[in-house]
Amino acid sequence: MNRILLLAAAMTLPTPASAAPLSDAIHADMQQLMTLYRTLHAHPELSMQEAWTPALLAPKMRNLGFTVTEHVGKTGVVAVMKNGPGPVLMLRADMDALPVKEATGLPYASTLIGKLRDGTPTPVMHACGHDTHMASFIGTAQRLVAMKDQWSGTLVMILQSGEETGEGAKAMLDDGLFTRFPKPSTVFAFHDSAMLPAGVIGVTPGYTTANVDSVDILVRGVGGHGAVPQATKDPIVLASRIVLTLQTLVSREKNPLDPAVVTVGSFQGGTKNNVIPDDVKLQLTVRSYKPEVRKLLLDGIARIARGEAIAAGVPDDRMPVVTVLANQATPATFNTEKLANHALDLFRGHFGADRTTILPPLMVGEDVGRYWLDDPSVAGTLFWVGGVPQAKWDAVGGDTTKLPSLHSALWAPDAETVIATATEAMTIAALDVLKKG
Ligand SMILES: [Zn+2]
Ligand SMILES: [Zn+2]
């Protein structure tokens, strides 16, 4: 085709949805998005204490033309843009950071000190990369506003509080996210990944993250002198037995094809060599995918704690107290299979097969699945965007056990690649859902 014909075609046909114009536009935004990223990185805030962050980002969404509501679910932000008839799509980014002392040595590393809920001071760091999520969130909003003539429907973009503690999604839902604002039929979120090289997208159809339950066991005995064990019911020995018997929940009681984890992360008891204490406190994290496996584990923990106490001859009024911390539970995120597979195809077509992969499920928690859990009218997918700098990936031959993980004080993703890739992926996913009929 000669040049004149090409020009004529460009003037009469709508712009084809090819990759180059979008990535060029994102490239032009990157300097500004990286400045925002570094600012966010240097100002991390703990879960449910986000105040500076939403105050920075909400006006940016307002300036882009969204109708913005703050303080949804305590600190969350809901930005709505109605752009003609069509479906409602929700995009979510999370805002919170972790009580971790940053050790990356980055020039914009956090030096901030926050406060745990009991008032204890703690260093705070964006060690999970939620700062990349927020920078990409603004990048995606900018692109979708600039391309408003190419989509039709309602775009709901939310900045969620408290992901790390599993509270934020529930808090926003309880505060009327789906009643005060348009309820979506599709939800997308992404998370940066320490398991993939920078710029590679991972999607997991079906379960992608696990049910996470925290369980406390107060093992009660009868204390006394360390030299007179016959006059006591030693809770240290009893708690030790409980810890060992708990191992059989995963190894003997559940179907080996169903993943599960029971980890005793804390074992606290006693004060001195020659004193048998009255009690011991165990703290567990319990992980699963299927609801029936979750129930088997939680019921089994209560049964084993009580059974071992009976075997140890503990009096009835000193049976262990098992507490499932309901306010710290995160349900598994199950990516709607049809949507996740469609997203895989879409990303493969756009980024190429070498930048798109199916990732195995993980036993970590992510509360984004709450937005579509138990509601078949909402489809959702959380996808991963690789953040491991390519040189670091190559240096270990892709063995990520040799590299910092998410939540590590050393986690320093290739933020520029994460933000650019995620912005492009979110934008094409949104345009796909909201395409003009
Ligand atoms: Zn995290
Ligand atoms: Zn996270």
Side-chain angles (χ1 to χ4, degrees), residues 290-302:
K290 294 179 180 170
E292 58 269 31
V293 175
R294 175 176 183 260
K295 183 173 186 326
L296 180 145
L297 297 176
L298 296 178
D299 289 352
I301 289 165

Side-chain angles (χ1 to χ4, degrees), residues 98 127-130 163-164 191 365 406-407:
L98 288 157
C128 204
H130 298 180
E163 185 280 323
E164 295 294 353
H191 203 297
L406 296 181
H407 292 198

